[in-house]
Amino acid sequence: METSSLRKAIIMEIILISAQELMSMSNSSSTPMQTYVVAYINPKEKVVSRVDRTGNTNPTWNDKFVFSVDEEFEHSRPNCCLVLEIYNVRRFRNISCLKTC
């Protein structure tokens, strides 16, 4: 009698609260930064925070991300990690990455 193997998933819940003292990408102090975060464990499954339009170099998001990592992914990448990339929204220009953690 064969038993089917159940793939267990690890559920990870992350609360993204804020960042402090980000380096401003603007030459002008009159243009505040508008930042958001892209987070992922598996690069094929990224999640995005909302844009903080008022925090400038000290943004606050208070967003919740939920990740599910199954055993197959965990075994194929045993040293995987959570990646957080902070981006600045820029009008009429390319988006620039401020920080990767």
Side-chain angles (χ1 to χ4, degrees):
M1 177 183 207
E2 284 186 32
T3 58
S4 62
S5 62
L6 297 175
R7 291 186 180 159
K8 296 179 183 176
I10 297 169
I11 305 298
M12 183 185 314
E13 185 176 285
I14 303 294
I15 307 295
L16 175 68
I17 298 172
S18 65
Q20 288 92 32
E21 300 180 18
L22 295 176
M23 182 185 305
S24 178
M25 300 294 289
S26 173
N27 293 334
S28 168
S29 61
S30 64
T31 307
M33 291 194 322
Q34 298 179 18
T35 56
Y36 66 96
V37 174
V38 175
Y40 60 92
I41 296 172
N42 181 347
K44 295 178 182 178
E45 299 174 12
K46 296 182 179 184
V47 294
V48 180
S49 73
R50 63 186 174 80
V51 176
D52 177 278
R53 300 191 184 281
T54 59
N56 200 6
T57 59
N58 298 301
T60 300
W61 299 282
N62 289 321
D63 284 351
K64 178 169 66 172
F65 299 142
V66 178
F67 297 97
S68 175
V69 179
D70 64 19
E71 283 184 342
E72 183 178 331
F73 181 77
E74 184 183 7
H75 288 301
S76 68
R77 297 188 61 193
N79 295 323
C80 62
C81 62
L82 173 65
V83 177
L84 301 171
E85 298 173 340
I86 303 173
Y87 289 92
N88 181 27
V89 176
R90 303 177 90 186
R91 291 181 84 183
F92 310 117
R93 296 186 189 165
N94 292 333
I95 297 171
S96 58
C97 183
L98 297 173
K99 184 82 174 167
T100 300
C101 302

